Amino acid sequence: MPELYKSNDISREIYFQGYIDAYISRDIRELTVVSNVESFKEFIFSVASRMGEQLNYTSLVMDASISVLTAKAWLSILISSGYVIY
């Protein structure tokens, strides 16, 4: 069981920020080089907030301030690492 559920003393925001940071530093850097980590985080949050919606690259691109080619590449990374099912 994750530490988040074991203790009321852990901030959900801090816990999930640490989770995303660990995911990027360990899993993503093994697959590819992400030049702008902050934009990648914005992209992850944008993808997560659109769960269950039809894929719209324009919205993802605007949220993360990236190109469509970058959005497609980053979505491919999320799919190959098992965080997104497409």
Side-chain angles (χ1 to χ4, degrees):
M1 176 179 294
E3 288 298 317
L4 179 63
Y5 296 107
K6 289 181 182 179
S7 172
N8 292 331
D9 298 334
I10 299 174
S11 162
R12 294 176 65 85
E13 185 175 326
I14 292 172
Y15 177 84
F16 285 114
Q17 186 61 45
Y19 181 85
I20 294 294
D21 290 342
Y23 167 66
I24 291 171
S25 67
R26 289 189 300 218
D27 299 341
I28 296 304
R29 294 230 168 116
E30 288 179 10
L31 295 171
T32 188
V33 174
V34 173
S35 59
N36 188 332
V37 173
E38 290 306 313
S39 289
F40 187 70
K41 287 180 187 180
E42 289 297 322
F43 180 77
I44 291 172
F45 296 135
S46 181
V47 169
S49 70
R50 288 172 172 76
M51 182 177 68
E53 295 180 9
Q54 184 175 4
L55 178 60
N56 181 342
Y57 283 108
T58 303
S59 297
L60 298 174
V61 164
M62 289 177 25
D63 287 351
S65 301
I66 57 175
S67 70
V68 173
L69 290 176
T70 300
K72 289 180 178 182
W74 286 357
L75 186 61
S76 176
I77 292 168
L78 295 177
I79 292 168
S80 65
S81 62
Y83 282 85
V84 171
I85 299 172
Y86 180 67

